Amino acid sequence: MENKLSMDDELLSRIYQHIEDNLDDEHYSVAVLARQVGLSRSTLHRKLIKLTSKSPSDLIKEKRLLRARRMLENDVATASEIAYKVGFSSPSYFTKVFKNYFQLSPGDIRKGNAPAIQQILGGKQKGMKPLFRTNIRHQTPIILLVILALTISIATVYYLFHKDKPVESSIAILPFDNIGSDNEKQYFADGIVEDLLYRISQIDGLKVISHTSSEMFRDKGIKTIPEIAELLGVNFILEGSVQREDNNIRINIQLIDALKDDHVLSKQYDRDLSEVFKIQSEIAGEIASELRIVLTNKQLYALQRNQTENIKAYEYYQMGRFYSNKRWVDGYNKGIEYYEKAIAEDPDYGLAYAGLADNYHLMALQGWMDKTEGKNKAIELALKALALDPDLALPHAVLASLYSDIDWNWELAEKEYQQAIKLDPNFSTAQFYYSYLLSIFGKDEEAREHINKALELDPLSFVIRHYSAVYYYNQAQFNEALTENNLCLDLAEDHLWALNLEYFIYLKLGNDLAALDCYKKIGEITGEWTWEEADSVYSIGANEGLLWWRVKDSTWDHKLYKAKYYALLGEDEKALEIIESAINEHSFGAFHTMSLEFKNLRSHPRFIAIRGKMGLPSL
C-alpha cells in the first residue's frame, strides 16, 4: 500500500511539474501532457479523476489561474499581460474564467480589494480544492485502522456473495498465422477462425469475443497472453496457425488458460483439404471438452454441422468475407464477385446468400449504390438465406437494419433484432444495433444494457465504444462520456467522430479552453482552418464566435453538425430547417433526433412532426 501511494504521489508531482513548466504555452494540451508522462489520454484522465477528482484539462486550467492570482497579488504586470503569460489567448476570456473560479475579478485582486478578498478567499475558498493529495504517511494511525477494517469488510462481503458462483467460461480466438509460401492464403486462415467462432458461439453460456476485437492482436508479439486476455475480458485464449500446400493442410492450435498462462490443449491436424470441415468440428468439440461444457444434442449438432460440403464454395465465401470486411467500395464490389461464385458452386449455401445480403445492405446504407436498389437486393437475399438455413442470425440483423434505417418500420426491425440475438447471443453487432433502436425510442436503460453486452463481446470496437460515449453524452453523463471517449481516442487516435464528441462534451462542461483545443485539432486534421484562425475568432467571440464562424461558412454542408451548432446558438428555426431537410433526404438517421443539443427542441411542434413523420413518438 505504501509503495502504491508513493508511486501515485510521484506521478502527481511529475504531472504538476510538467504543467507548471508549460503554463505560458497557450497550445499546451492534455495530449502533450499525456505524452510527457508516458500515459495514454484515457489512462491519464482515469488516474487524475481517481487521485484528484479533476480531469487533466481542469488541472491545467486551475494551475494557470493560481499562477495568475499570485502574479496579480505581486502586481508584476497588467491583467491582460498576465493572461498571455499563463497561456490564455484571450484576456476577456481569462477575466471571465478567473471571476467564475475565484468569485473575484483580476482587477479586485490586483487592486488589493481587501474586504472582497477576505470575504471570498478567507476561510472558504469557493471553487478551490487542494491541488496535492495529502500523503497518508501524515495521517493518524486511526485512519489506517479504519481503512484496514473497511477493506476486510468489503473482502468478506465479496467472498460471501461470490464464493458459490462458477467462473464464467469465456474465450477469444486470435487470428491464426498463415504459414507457407503463399501469403495470399491469409483469407483461408481467417476463414478457419471465422468458422470456429460461428460454431462455438452456438454453445450456451460461453462468452465468445468478436473477431473485431481479437483482430487487434494479429501481431501477438506486442502483448502477452495474460495481457490480451485481460484486455478482452476472457479466461481462455485460442491461438493457432494454418499451412496449406496444394490439397494438404496443417492446422496447429493451442488453447491457453490465460489466468495460469498455461497450455491446456495443444494439437496438430495434418489432413487432406477435403477434411477441413471435419477438423473444425473436432476443434470446436475439443474446446468444449477442455472447458468442461456439457453439450446438449442441439449444441452438438451445431458444432458438427457444416454450412456447405463444397470446398470451392467455402473458399469463395471466405474470399467474399475477406474483401467485404475492407468496408470500401472496391472491397464490396470484389465481395459481390466472390459471393456469387460461392452461390454458383453451391446454390443451397445459405451463409453465402447472407454474406451477399450484408454486402448490399452496407453499400446501400453507406451510399455506394442507390438505397432502394440495394435494400431490395439485400432483403431478397436475406430471405433466401433464411429459407435455406433458418438458424442463421446474420440475415435477421440485415433485415432489421434495413427496416429501421430505410423503411422506418420499427416494429419489424425490433422483431428481427430480437430474433438475431436469440439465435446468436454472442452476435455483438446485433446487440449494438438493437441498443441503437432502443435509444431512438428513449428506452435508455435497455439501450445501455444491450450496448454494454455488445462491448463485453467486442471490447475493442471503436464504433460500439463511440456510441456508448454518445449514449452517456445524450443523457448528460459527461464524465462517463469523456472517459469512454478517451478510450475511443486510444483505439483510433485523432478520429474525427471522437474529437467532435469531445468538443461537445467540453462545451457542456463549460471547459472553454479544452473545447478550443479540440476545435483546433479538428481544423488541423480536416485542413479547414488553422490554429491561428481559430485563436483569432476565439479572442473576439470565445466558443460562441467559433460556432457562428462555422455555420456561416457556405461551403460547409455537414447537416448534422450544422444543426447542432445552430441549436447550441439558440437558433431553433434554423436548426429545425436543417433537421427536416436531412430527414427527408435520409442524410442522417432517426437516432440523431436524440442528440442532447436538440433537447430544447423536443417540445417544438415542428420537431414533434419530424419524429411523427418517421413513426416515432414525441419525447
Side-chain angles (χ1 to χ4, degrees), residues 97-209:
V97 173
F98 190 97
K99 191 168 184 179
N100 285 342
Y101 189 80
F102 292 113
Q103 301 300 298
L104 285 164
S105 70
D108 285 332
I109 298 289
R110 191 162 178 268
K111 294 171 185 175
N113 188 341
I117 294 171
Q118 183 64 33
Q119 180 183 354
I120 301 298
L121 299 182
K124 295 180 180 178
Q125 299 186 19
K126 184 174 181 180
M128 295 181 63
K129 297 177 182 178
L131 283 181
F132 288 91
R133 297 167 66 246
T134 305
N135 194 305
I136 199 167
R137 292 189 295 271
H138 303 304
Q139 303 299 318
T140 66
I142 294 174
I143 293 178
L144 291 175
L145 288 172
V146 170
I147 293 172
L148 179 60
L150 183 60
T151 302
I152 293 171
S153 298
I154 292 171
T156 302
V157 170
Y158 183 87
Y159 173 74
L160 290 173
F161 275 89
H162 292 77
K163 66 184 180 73
D164 294 326
K165 290 188 178 181
V167 176
E168 178 191 47
S169 291
S170 51
I171 188 171
I173 304 180
L174 301 186
F176 281 12
D177 294 326
N178 173 48
I179 300 174
S181 57
D182 190 351
N183 290 329
E184 291 185 2
K185 288 292 192 297
Q186 183 62 56
Y187 78 88
F188 187 78
D190 292 345
I192 297 291
V193 170
E194 183 175 328
D195 186 87
L196 284 172
L197 282 170
Y198 178 80
R199 290 176 194 263
I200 66 174
S201 288
Q202 310 303 309
I203 301 174
D204 291 340
L206 177 63
K207 184 178 84 173
V208 183
I209 297 299

Side-chain angles (χ1 to χ4, degrees), residues 291-317:
L291 298 184
R292 292 179 172 81
I293 296 173
V294 179
L295 298 173
T296 64
N297 288 334
K298 181 180 178 182
Q299 291 171 348
L300 189 60
Y301 171 75
L303 259 62
Q304 295 176 345
R305 176 175 174 267
N306 300 322
Q307 299 290 333
T308 181
E309 300 294 339
N310 186 312
I311 296 294
K312 200 68 179 172
Y314 171 78
E315 285 194 272
Y316 284 140
Y317 169 78

Side-chain angles (χ1 to χ4, degrees), residues 187-466:
Y187 78 88
F188 187 78
D190 292 345
I192 297 291
V193 170
E194 183 175 328
D195 186 87
L196 284 172
L197 282 170
Y198 178 80
R199 290 176 194 263
I200 66 174
S201 288
Q202 310 303 309
I203 301 174
D204 291 340
L206 177 63
K207 184 178 84 173
V208 183
I209 297 299
S210 167
H211 75 90
T212 309
S213 287
S214 298
E215 177 67 27
M216 302 289 283
F217 303 102
R218 184 173 287 276
D219 181 3
K220 291 184 273 292
I222 62 176
K223 295 283 184 185
T224 65
I225 290 297
E227 287 173 335
I228 293 172
E230 183 178 1
L231 287 168
L232 296 177
V234 297
N235 44 31
F236 287 92
I237 294 284
L238 183 75
E239 59 178 1
S241 63
V242 177
Q243 184 173 0
R244 177 181 169 185
E245 296 294 341
D246 299 323
N247 288 324
N248 299 310
I249 57 170
R250 170 177 291 173
I251 300 177
N252 286 290
I253 62 161
Q254 298 86 38
L255 181 63
I256 304 166
D257 182 334
L259 299 178
K260 300 175 182 177
D261 197 11
D262 185 30
H263 285 67
V264 296
L265 173 66
S266 183
K267 199 162 183 178
Q268 179 173 296
Y269 300 84
D270 284 301
R271 305 279 182 85
D272 185 82
L273 180 62
S274 62
E275 295 186 79
V276 64
F277 305 126
K278 184 179 179 182
I279 297 172
Q280 289 165 172
S281 296
E282 288 179 20
I283 295 173
E286 294 269 17
I287 291 171
S289 176
E290 291 296 335
L291 298 184
R292 292 179 172 81
I293 296 173
V294 179
L295 298 173
T296 64
N297 288 334
K298 181 180 178 182
Q299 291 171 348
L300 189 60
Y301 171 75
L303 259 62
Q304 295 176 345
R305 176 175 174 267
N306 300 322
Q307 299 290 333
T308 181
E309 300 294 339
N310 186 312
I311 296 294
K312 200 68 179 172
Y314 171 78
E315 285 194 272
Y316 284 140
Y317 169 78
Q318 298 301 347
M319 290 288 283
R321 293 303 296 176
F322 177 79
Y323 283 108
S324 184
N325 283 337
K326 292 182 181 295
R327 297 294 189 260
W328 192 248
V329 62
D330 293 340
Y332 289 135
N333 287 330
K334 202 75 172 172
I336 291 172
E337 177 185 334
Y338 281 107
Y339 286 133
E340 289 180 341
K341 286 183 177 180
I343 291 168
E345 283 287 336
D346 182 357
D348 296 326
Y349 193 3
L351 196 56
Y353 288 97
L356 187 53
D358 190 32
N359 198 97
Y360 278 120
H361 145 250
L362 291 170
M363 291 182 76
L365 291 185
Q366 294 174 12
W368 297 117
M369 67 183 303
D370 178 76
K371 271 189 171 60
T372 302
E373 180 188 359
K375 181 196 77 170
N376 291 340
K377 284 186 175 182
I379 289 176
E380 179 184 354
L381 289 162
L383 293 175
K384 176 68 173 178
L386 289 173
L388 292 168
D389 189 347
D391 292 330
L392 288 173
L394 177 60
H396 289 288
V398 168
L399 290 170
S401 179
L402 294 167
Y403 291 150
S404 62
D405 289 358
I406 295 181
D407 290 347
W408 298 336
N409 190 330
W410 313 109
E411 185 177 352
L412 267 182
E414 182 166 25
K415 287 180 180 177
E416 293 293 344
Y417 280 135
Q418 289 174 341
Q419 185 63 18
I421 292 169
K422 180 181 177 181
L423 288 168
D424 185 359
N426 285 303
F427 192 4
S428 62
T429 302
Q431 297 277 4
F432 163 49
Y433 283 156
Y434 186 39
S435 78
Y436 189 88
L437 179 68
L438 291 165
S439 180
I440 291 171
F441 279 85
K443 297 179 180 179
D444 300 312
E445 289 185 11
E446 293 178 65
R448 173 52 56 188
E449 177 186 338
H450 283 279
I451 200 166
N452 282 349
K453 180 63 177 176
L455 284 171
E456 184 183 332
L457 297 167
D458 202 353
L460 302 183
S461 164
F462 171 85
V463 173
I464 299 175
R465 186 72 61 182
H466 170 72

